[in-house]
Amino acid sequence: MSGRRLVACLSALAVLGGLAGAAPAAAEEPRLILWGAHASTRPGEDSQRAYQRVEASAGRKLAVARHFLLWDTVFPTTLETWLRDGDRQLMLSVNAKRLNGSRVSWRDIANATPGSPIYADMLRWTQRIRDFSSPVMLTLNHEPEASVNTGSGVDADYKAAWQAWVTLFRTQGVSNVTFVWIMTDYSFQVPSSDRRFAAKWYPGDAFVDAIAGDAYNWFTCRPGINTAWKSLAQIIEGQRVFGLAHPTKPLWLAEYGSDEDPAQPGRKAQWFRDAQALFAQPGYAQFAGVNLFEQLSSSSCPWAADSSTTAAAAWRAWGADPLYGGSAVPPPPPISMRAQLVVGDPASLGADATIKARLETLGYTVDVVDDNAASAAGAAGRNVVLVSQSVTPTALTNRLRDVPIPVVILKPWLYDDFALVAANALGSNGRTSVTVTNPSHPLASGLSGHVALVTSSTPMGWGTTLTSAEVVATVVGHPAVFAYRPGAALDQGRTSAACRVGLPYHQTAYPVMTAAGWTMFDAAVRWADSGC
């Protein structure tokens, strides 16, 4: 049976289960939990490449692609068509918000009548979903109880809008849709007196085909809030219990993710392994699918599966489990990602230990090399080389200047040794922020204007670059974040042997780095690794 036929059958069963009571599974049919993800783009990627990267990391094709659209977004685009034609099922959220930022109130959706603009919008959605000619799991405004949606209406408005939405799809004869009601995990945990209490927002069994939650182990990555490390079993217990009161409805994790624990390397990997084992237990037989959520590039929460090498391996093993549609034979290991970190003293890393840990979080195996021993031959086979601010310029000189491997340089006093600037056309100033002058560049990672990289003043390096440089951010008017692409003209009549990136991070910056500072650091490493 093809992937698309399989998910089509499962979707049909979900609808039948929701409308007429679940039919008992045939004894010979093994239980299958659909395993999917939302892939967020990284610098240099479009959405299709993001999904290809995630699937390469998983060692398999995703069964489900979690997808988000606004009220007046075009659908389908080439992305959705590509996902469908690759036998991936869409779990699609349509947010009642327009591209211009204005809201479509839930009450207006509920009260829309034939001939009105909102009714015409709804009718277009029924036609587009029907003409997509493939099973779609659909929700109207996921997480309606979340604070970001308070401007759209109250619980009664939402339920009325949902019912009107579902009713129109059914009266239009759209048969390839499964209506999935999606709430935050927190809504299933709060007391009944709380505005967010899930039952207050439930449109009713007659209008819901599956019940989903968005489940996150936030730990320390939520701004201003530190919470205890939580297993997935703890996080979704409220949803599991809610589902018992609606036994004909399949349960889903529309999104899930976990923070890393820097104090316990491998803790996130164990979280994945525990989650994999959890759904094999009898008390979780109602769960039909799970979707990993990759973080947006601006997020400080490392939701991506490859936030560390151990987490990436555990998630890959999860995907290989036959219960989740994987092969019984473990997939081959992913392609190795190796970085070389050149430092002043490998025996006493100091702040360089933070850089090393960050690179490992990005999925790299890190080789630490003394600046006195660094060489072009020693860098061979690495994806990217980082030259720390701790190196001594006279120790390194120009031994990595012509290496045909991307190099990220955090030592401004080496810019002229790498021929990125003319002799001594460099310096540093004590600052907390840079000014992003080219916000559309991948190195800006979506940031713009004055961006605080640290919370207290640290030296920030700069260099007077050549015209062939791509300058992204400045300090006191001088280029501080910049790049030269392969083949770009350098000083001394040279050309760049590979991607070169200059960053203004001093050793004292790492203990006081902001989320934006790390975002720009991550973007520099990944973009350099991609060859610019």
Side-chain angles (χ1 to χ4, degrees), residues 272-531:
F272 280 154
R273 287 190 288 269
D274 292 343
Q276 175 188 346
L278 178 67
F279 296 107
Q281 299 177 20
Y284 296 85
Q286 202 170 339
F287 282 88
V290 294
N291 297 322
L292 174 77
F293 183 82
E294 276 208 314
Q295 79 273 38
L296 301 174
S297 60
S298 59
S299 172
S300 61
C301 298
W303 301 140
D306 61 355
S307 57
S308 63
T309 53
T310 55
W315 191 67
R316 189 178 177 87
W318 185 353
D321 188 333
L323 176 61
Y324 301 89
S327 168
V329 178
I335 298 172
S336 176
M337 295 170 57
R338 296 187 68 184
Q340 185 178 92
L341 176 60
V342 183
V343 303
D345 184 2
S348 181
L349 286 178
D352 287 327
T354 305
I355 306 178
K356 180 176 181 290
R358 189 70 181 190
L359 291 171
E360 291 171 340
T361 296
L362 294 177
Y364 291 94
T365 298
V366 183
D367 305 315
V368 179
V369 177
D370 190 292
D371 52 7
N372 289 288
S375 67
R382 276 50 174 192
N383 297 77
V384 63
V385 174
L386 279 85
V387 180
S388 168
Q389 190 269 334
S390 68
V391 305
T392 302
T394 54
L396 186 63
T397 60
N398 58 11
R399 278 179 283 121
L400 294 177
R401 182 185 58 201
D402 300 318
V403 66
I405 295 169
V407 181
V408 179
I409 304 146
L410 299 101
K411 182 82 170 182
W413 315 116
L414 287 171
Y415 289 163
D416 51 2
D417 289 335
F418 276 86
L420 307 182
V421 303
N424 300 316
L426 44 84
S428 71
N429 290 82
R431 291 290 188 274
T432 59
S433 62
V434 295
T435 301
V436 175
T437 56
N438 188 358
S440 63
H441 196 281
L443 288 178
S445 197
L447 303 170
S448 62
H450 295 291
V451 176
L453 303 185
V454 289
T455 57
S456 58
S457 181
T458 64
M460 290 196 182
W462 51 264
T464 305
T465 54
L466 285 71
T467 57
S468 56
E470 298 176 15
V471 178
V472 177
T474 61
V475 168
V476 295
H478 297 293
V481 178
F482 60 87
Y484 290 89
R485 293 181 188 258
L490 302 181
D491 191 44
Q492 306 166 24
R494 296 183 175 277
T495 58
S496 182
C499 180
R500 300 290 186 256
V501 176
L503 286 182
Y505 297 100
H506 190 268
Q507 288 287 89
T508 55
Y510 302 108
V512 291
M513 287 269 278
T514 65
W518 283 120
T519 293
M520 192 166 280
F521 178 92
D522 295 350
V525 173
R526 286 171 172 151
W527 195 63
D529 186 351
S530 74

Side-chain angles (χ1 to χ4, degrees), residues 27-299:
E28 67 274 9
E29 287 288 336
R31 182 179 172 216
L32 177 67
I33 299 176
L34 298 187
W35 197 74
H38 166 73
S40 180
T41 58
R42 295 176 179 177
E45 290 182 338
D46 59 16
S47 294
Q48 182 172 325
R49 286 188 178 185
Y51 276 103
Q52 289 171 329
R53 169 182 48 77
V54 168
E55 291 184 334
S57 178
R60 56 163 285 180
K61 185 180 292 183
L62 298 170
V64 179
R66 181 79 174 96
H67 202 46
F68 304 87
L69 296 177
L70 298 178
W71 187 257
D72 52 354
T73 304
V74 172
F75 177 86
T77 67
T78 55
L79 172 65
E80 290 94 22
T81 302
W82 174 79
L83 290 167
R84 177 198 65 193
D85 293 347
D87 284 348
R88 305 169 191 85
Q89 188 175 8
L90 288 183
M91 178 177 279
L92 180 64
S93 284
V94 176
N95 196 324
K97 190 175 183 179
R98 298 183 180 90
L99 289 166
N100 64 9
S102 64
R103 294 180 183 274
V104 182
S105 80
W106 295 328
R107 181 49 57 184
D108 287 346
I109 294 173
N111 294 338
T113 56
S116 69
I118 291 179
Y119 188 90
D121 290 340
M122 295 165 65
L123 198 59
R124 277 193 292 273
W125 273 110
T126 67
Q127 295 164 346
R128 288 185 286 183
I129 295 296
R130 179 196 61 210
D131 295 345
F132 193 58
S133 301
S134 185
V136 174
M137 290 179 279
L138 183 65
T139 191
L140 176 68
N141 253 114
H142 69 285
E143 302 182 358
E145 85 291 6
S147 59
V148 295
N149 289 316
T150 52
S152 297
V154 297
D155 50 6
D157 299 328
Y158 175 75
K159 290 188 289 186
W162 179 282
Q163 291 168 0
W165 173 261
V166 171
T167 297
L168 185 60
F169 272 85
R170 289 176 177 166
T171 58
Q172 293 298 311
V174 183
S175 59
N176 60 323
V177 63
T178 299
F179 294 100
V180 183
W181 177 66
I182 304 175
M183 301 287 283
T184 65
D185 61 84
Y186 200 61
S187 71
F188 297 103
Q189 303 170 23
V190 296
S192 59
S193 58
D194 195 296
R195 178 192 67 82
R196 299 160 293 182
F197 184 58
K200 294 180 179 180
W201 298 83
Y202 189 59
D205 280 355
F207 297 92
V208 172
D209 297 324
I211 296 168
D214 292 342
Y216 290 98
N217 174 32
W218 291 94
F219 195 40
T220 61
C221 77
R222 200 166 195 168
I225 302 175
N226 289 333
T227 62
W229 182 273
K230 292 183 178 179
S231 68
L232 188 60
Q234 291 173 294
I235 297 166
I236 66 173
E237 178 60 15
Q239 180 190 354
R240 189 187 72 84
V241 172
F242 185 91
L244 294 176
H246 307 272
T248 64
K249 306 301 177 186
L251 301 183
W252 273 81
L253 295 191
E255 304 168 21
Y256 70 85
S258 175
D259 194 6
E260 291 275 2
D261 185 353
Q264 295 188 41
R267 197 176 190 187
K268 178 173 175 176
Q270 188 59 51
W271 193 92
F272 280 154
R273 287 190 288 269
D274 292 343
Q276 175 188 346
L278 178 67
F279 296 107
Q281 299 177 20
Y284 296 85
Q286 202 170 339
F287 282 88
V290 294
N291 297 322
L292 174 77
F293 183 82
E294 276 208 314
Q295 79 273 38
L296 301 174
S297 60
S298 59
S299 172

